[in-house]
Each structure stands twice: as C-alpha cells, then as structure tokens.
Amino acid sequence: MKKIKRLLRFALFLLTVFCLAFLVTGSAAIFRPAFFDSLPKMQEARRLIFLRDAVAERVRQRERYVTIDEMPDSLLDAVVAVEDSRFYSHHGFDPEAIARATLVNLQYGRIEEGASTITQQLAKNLFLSDEQSLDRKLEEALLSLDLELHYSKDEILELYLNTIYFGSGFYGIHEASVGYFGREPHELDLPETSMLAGIPNAPSVYSPYVDFMLAKKRQLVVLDAMVRTGCISESVAESAKIKPLYFAH
C-alpha cells in the first residue's frame, strides 16, 4: 500500500509538472506577482529568486567563485551530457526525462530513477531543503521555471558548478578541482573533468577518495554519455578511459 501511495504521489507530481510545462511555454500569466503571492510558501523564495543580489549573496561573494569562461569545455560538456542532456532545450524541467523515470519507477514498484534537471538541482541547492515531499517538489519546479526566466543557460550552469557538492567535503568546482587533483579548474583535462562530472549524482558513493573503482566506473558512464551526445568521438573517449589519474592525496 505504501508503494502504491508513493507511486500515486509521483504520478501527481508528473501531472503537475506537465501542466507547468504547458503554462511556461504557452503563457506568461503564471509568472505575475499575484500568482506567487497566492502561495504563502513561495513568498520568501520569490523575494530571493527575483533579486540577483540574493544569488550573489549565496554564491558570487565566495572567494573562489569560478566563471564559466574559466571552466574547460570538457567539464561543461561532461556535466551536461551525464546530468541533463537536454539542458539547453528545456524550460527548467524535462518532461521526457520525467516520463522515462515514471515508467522505470512503475516497473520496479519503487523510486529507482529521478529526473531532476540541472536547473532543478540548482534551485534546491540555493533555496530548498532535502525534504522529499510533493510540496517541496512543487516549489522546486516553480523556482526552476523562475530561474530559467531570469538567467541564461550559461549563468545557470555556472551557478550550478559553483554550488554542487562533489563529495569528500568539496563544494563547488574550485574546491573539487584543487581537492582532488591539486589543480585550478582551467588546468583540468578530459580524464579529470569526466571523473569530477560523475561525482554529484551520488557524492558519498562516487568520490574517488571513498571508492576509486566505483568512481572509475562512473567516469566511464560519463565518457560514454559524451560520445552519445556528440561531444567527443569514441576514440577520444577510449583514450581518456585508460589515461592514469593522479590525485592530490
């Protein structure tokens, strides 16, 4: 019975997200201030998300903030390929990924696969808790749509890479780059960026300092995703898979 209830809640969330997708692509009326004022839980989030100063207060004042121009293309390509391959075409959430995850979860009778986009992950990292509830998912969806309206895709990706957790106590790409490889982000090569890109999916599992073999397997998944999305050729991927990695510790 509990499994059925969880699946019903997931299906309800799916329906909600599809409705939001229609609204964001077909009408701007939903984004009028009156709409957000009607949602008490969103009032504080609205004040934060509509003010770029609020984002700067959380992220850009960091001493080690890395701009997207300082990040290697292989890092950007790797993260998008493995985390959100339709990042540059969706509006904050991915109905196709949600539909796929729903089918997988229905097949297994439990939550086996998620469908959070990079934008949704950023919204959660900046403004929300890790609570697993329908209300929080709705807030996440609304905040994601809001982010997409007020920030470019490159800005969202830049913010994401400066806030995401990379395991072993490293937050953001600068800490991860220096912490794992002892190098600045712009100095990283493909084997290193593909290793880092695989960690955020499950930082406590895929950190190479926790379990190198699992981290290595995840790196292979990232490289295969990059081939599948056309970022690199199979020969480049195979070369990166066998190149030794040298860690800072």
Side-chain angles (χ1 to χ4, degrees):
M1 181 62 70
K2 289 183 178 179
K3 289 182 179 179
I4 294 175
K5 288 182 178 179
R6 283 200 299 269
L7 291 172
L8 287 174
R9 285 198 297 268
F10 192 86
L12 179 59
F13 170 62
L14 174 64
L15 177 61
T16 301
V17 170
F18 270 108
C19 290
L20 288 172
F22 170 78
L23 288 169
V24 75
T25 55
S27 171
I30 191 172
F31 296 105
R32 291 178 301 182
F35 175 81
F36 284 97
D37 290 338
S38 69
L39 299 173
K41 287 187 176 182
M42 289 300 296
Q43 289 180 11
E44 178 63 19
R46 176 179 176 272
R47 286 195 293 272
L48 294 173
I49 202 66
F50 276 101
L51 295 176
R52 284 179 173 266
D53 288 346
V55 174
E57 185 178 332
R58 284 167 168 73
V59 182
R60 293 197 174 106
Q61 69 178 6
R62 292 183 179 180
E63 183 179 351
R64 298 298 187 177
Y65 186 86
V66 182
T67 67
I68 199 166
D69 292 334
E70 299 173 293
M71 301 179 194
D73 289 342
S74 64
L75 173 67
L76 306 178
D77 290 341
V79 168
V80 171
V82 76
E83 286 291 329
D84 186 1
S85 62
R86 283 177 289 276
F87 173 66
Y88 284 100
S89 61
H90 64 60
H91 298 285
F93 50 87
D94 187 348
E96 184 176 332
I98 293 171
R100 183 183 64 250
T102 300
L103 292 175
V104 170
N105 295 333
L106 287 172
Q107 177 183 355
Y108 283 91
R110 60 182 182 273
I111 305 301
E112 281 285 327
E113 181 175 323
S116 292
T117 64
I118 285 173
T119 311
Q120 287 175 277
Q121 293 179 57
L122 176 61
K124 184 183 76 170
N125 291 341
L126 288 179
F127 301 109
L128 301 172
S129 69
D130 290 328
E131 176 192 357
Q132 295 296 319
S133 69
L134 185 60
D135 286 346
R136 197 202 65 78
K137 278 293 185 182
L138 179 58
E139 289 181 76
E140 180 184 289
L142 292 171
L143 286 166
S144 298
L145 294 172
D146 219 359
L147 278 168
E148 292 277 341
L149 282 178
H150 292 85
Y151 294 87
S152 70
K153 288 290 188 177
D154 283 350
E155 286 177 315
I156 290 171
L157 185 56
E158 178 181 294
L159 288 166
Y160 171 82
L161 283 165
N162 276 280
T163 56
I164 199 69
Y165 183 50
F166 283 92
S168 298
F170 304 133
Y171 286 88
I173 187 57
H174 187 273
E175 288 187 9
S177 178
V178 174
Y180 286 119
F181 298 111
R183 305 170 66 187
E184 293 294 317
H186 71 271
E187 298 175 317
L188 299 176
D189 59 18
L190 177 59
E192 293 164 339
T193 56
S194 57
M195 173 66 72
L196 292 181
I199 298 173
N201 179 263
S204 62
V205 175
Y206 294 130
S207 165
Y209 287 168
V210 173
D211 190 323
F212 174 74
M213 292 309 298
L214 282 178
K216 184 64 181 178
K217 289 179 180 178
R218 179 64 177 169
Q219 180 206 31
L220 305 187
V221 171
V222 174
L223 290 166
D224 288 342
M226 294 179 75
V227 172
R228 189 167 58 252
T229 54
C231 298
I232 58 175
S233 66
E234 288 189 15
S235 61
V236 169
E238 292 305 314
S239 177
K241 289 177 182 180
I242 63 175
K243 185 175 180 179
L245 291 163
Y246 300 97
F247 295 98
H249 301 296

